[in-house]
Amino acid sequence: MEETIELKITGELDGKRLDVVLTEQSDGLTRSYITRLCKEGRAKINGEVAKGNKKCKEGDCVTLEVPEPKELLILPEPMDLDIVYEDSDVILINKPKGMVVHPAAGHYSGTLVNGLMAHCKEDLSGINGVLRPGIVHRIDKDTTGILIVCKNDKAHQSIAKQLYDHSITRKYHAIVCDNIKEEEGTVDAPIGRSPKDRKKMAVVSGGRHAVTHYRVLRRLKKGFTYIECQLETGRTHQIRVHMASIRHPLLGDDVYGPKKSKYTLEGQCLHAKVLGFVHPRTGEYMEFEVPLPKYFEELIEKLDLD
């Protein structure tokens, strides 16, 4: 299914190139891919086809037509999935560290989607195309924890709307560097592509609205803090970017934090612990919680030793 991205140019984006604006405001789309779409005439300003180097003006309405992914042979792969809950509409999975959620360049096997295709057979929503059947949101490869997958398009539309309305409960547990002085706080800062490194996200003027609430769960003796983060929005790398922006990057995050750590870790210490939503068929609010992975619990104890 072809997707159309629509943007209203605000004052912060006034004067920027069309391709730059689209890259900054579109999660998951690379600059090179957007450049190609512009060359194909898929980008418009106020309804007229525009080139990528066209300057945007405040008040402009920008649209980008993103074509449906090309058909690829994504094969079902039987896996030992940690299923938290399942019915005819949704399935909730406790994702392990190191697992990619959906196929992408370099990862066409071994993903959660491959496992879901084997488990659910034909019962996955098709709204996101052949590469992401059933996937309505995702968590990073090295983030553990709970996520919801939709088995039909009606369920997908319902959960997607709840995500858009920020009505889904999403609580993450994390270990961050240094001691957070306050007991709780909120980071309300827009997120977009980093102007210095297009592979990274950053807090940038004109980025997409992003809000993360956090509270201290435990102050660790080794100079780290164990916290809970609740997402109000769901931008790419949101917790990682927001906590780094207030100088408390996640332990193990060598993208947004220190490049070296004396602790041997595979990626950031971040776990999607709680997920709550209104069931798309029954209208009942449901909430699920998954335990911390063993490595996470052991690390907390290790960091709390004298």
Side-chain angles (χ1 to χ4, degrees):
M1 179 181 293
E2 189 172 270
E3 176 188 3
T4 299
I5 296 173
E6 296 184 4
L7 302 170
K8 191 75 171 180
I9 301 301
T10 58
E12 295 86 353
L13 302 175
D14 183 57
K16 287 191 175 184
R17 289 169 51 116
L18 175 59
D19 52 5
V20 172
V21 168
L22 288 170
T23 302
E24 290 179 352
Q25 303 298 311
S26 304
D27 285 347
L29 300 184
T30 65
R31 176 75 175 271
S32 59
Y33 182 56
I34 286 176
T35 298
R36 179 158 64 84
L37 294 182
C38 289
K39 290 180 178 179
E40 293 175 359
R42 295 180 176 272
K44 297 179 181 179
I45 297 179
N46 300 325
E48 296 185 4
V49 174
K51 295 182 178 179
N53 61 1
K54 176 78 172 179
K55 297 291 181 67
C56 296
K57 297 179 181 179
E58 185 174 2
D60 281 347
C61 179
V62 170
T63 59
L64 178 69
E65 297 173 357
V66 182
E68 184 177 0
K70 293 182 178 179
E71 187 77 25
L72 290 175
L73 185 60
I74 307 298
L75 299 175
E77 297 178 29
M79 294 180 187
D80 185 18
L81 298 175
D82 185 355
I83 299 173
V84 180
Y85 172 83
E86 181 178 14
D87 60 27
S88 60
D89 296 294
V90 297
I91 178 170
L92 279 74
I93 304 292
N94 184 15
K95 188 189 82 67
K97 200 175 188 69
M99 176 182 277
V100 174
V101 170
H102 58 74
H107 292 283
Y108 292 114
S109 64
T111 73
L112 177 60
V113 162
N114 294 106
L116 286 167
M117 289 176 67
H119 177 80
C120 299
K121 311 302 181 186
E122 301 297 323
D123 295 329
L124 288 171
S125 68
I127 289 178
N128 267 336
V130 296
L131 296 183
R132 296 183 288 175
I135 303 301
V136 66
H137 72 120
R138 66 181 180 86
I139 54 180
D140 296 334
K141 173 186 175 183
D142 293 324
T143 297
T144 57
I146 191 167
L147 77 163
I148 186 170
V149 177
C150 298
K151 289 188 170 184
N152 54 66
D153 288 357
K154 184 177 180 181
H156 192 122
Q157 290 166 345
S158 172
I159 299 301
K161 186 176 188 306
Q162 292 179 57
L163 285 165
Y164 180 81
D165 292 339
H166 312 313
S167 60
I168 283 186
T169 301
R170 286 176 291 171
K171 296 180 181 179
Y172 289 70
H173 283 201
I175 299 174
V176 299
C177 298
D178 300 323
N179 180 43
I180 298 180
K181 294 181 181 179
E182 63 274 10
E183 290 299 318
E184 59 184 32
T186 295
V187 183
D188 184 344
I191 292 177
R193 291 284 168 188
S194 169
K196 298 179 180 179
D197 184 347
R198 308 307 298 178
K199 294 181 180 180
K200 296 170 61 175
M201 308 302 288
V203 170
V204 295
S205 175
R208 301 183 71 186
H209 176 60
V211 179
T212 303
H213 306 284
Y214 64 89
R215 67 183 181 95
V216 172
L217 297 175
R218 188 169 169 184
R219 300 182 189 281
L220 306 174
K221 296 176 181 177
K222 296 291 186 181
F224 297 91
T225 310
Y226 174 36
I227 66 172
E228 178 182 86
C229 292
Q230 182 160 351
L231 293 180
E232 188 172 312
T233 56
R235 309 306 178 203
T236 301
H237 299 173
Q238 179 172 316
I239 292 174
R240 298 166 65 188
V241 171
H242 271 172
M243 296 313 298
S245 75
I246 60 171
R247 300 183 179 180
H248 293 291
L250 273 59
L251 176 60
D253 191 345
D254 60 3
V255 175
Y256 299 104
K259 297 297 181 184
K260 294 183 179 180
S261 172
K262 64 179 180 179
Y263 302 99
T264 303
L265 299 167
E266 295 180 4
Q268 65 278 353
C269 294
L270 184 61
H271 177 68
K273 199 168 196 308
V274 177
L275 181 66
F277 61 97
V278 174
H279 193 279
R281 187 180 298 271
T282 67
E284 174 190 0
Y285 178 77
M286 307 178 75
E287 187 169 290
F288 299 89
E289 181 173 343
V290 293
L292 293 173
K294 185 177 180 181
Y295 94 90
F296 204 123
E297 290 185 331
E298 291 177 346
L299 185 59
I300 290 174
E301 297 305 317
K302 183 177 182 179
L303 294 174
D304 208 25
L305 293 175
D306 289 325

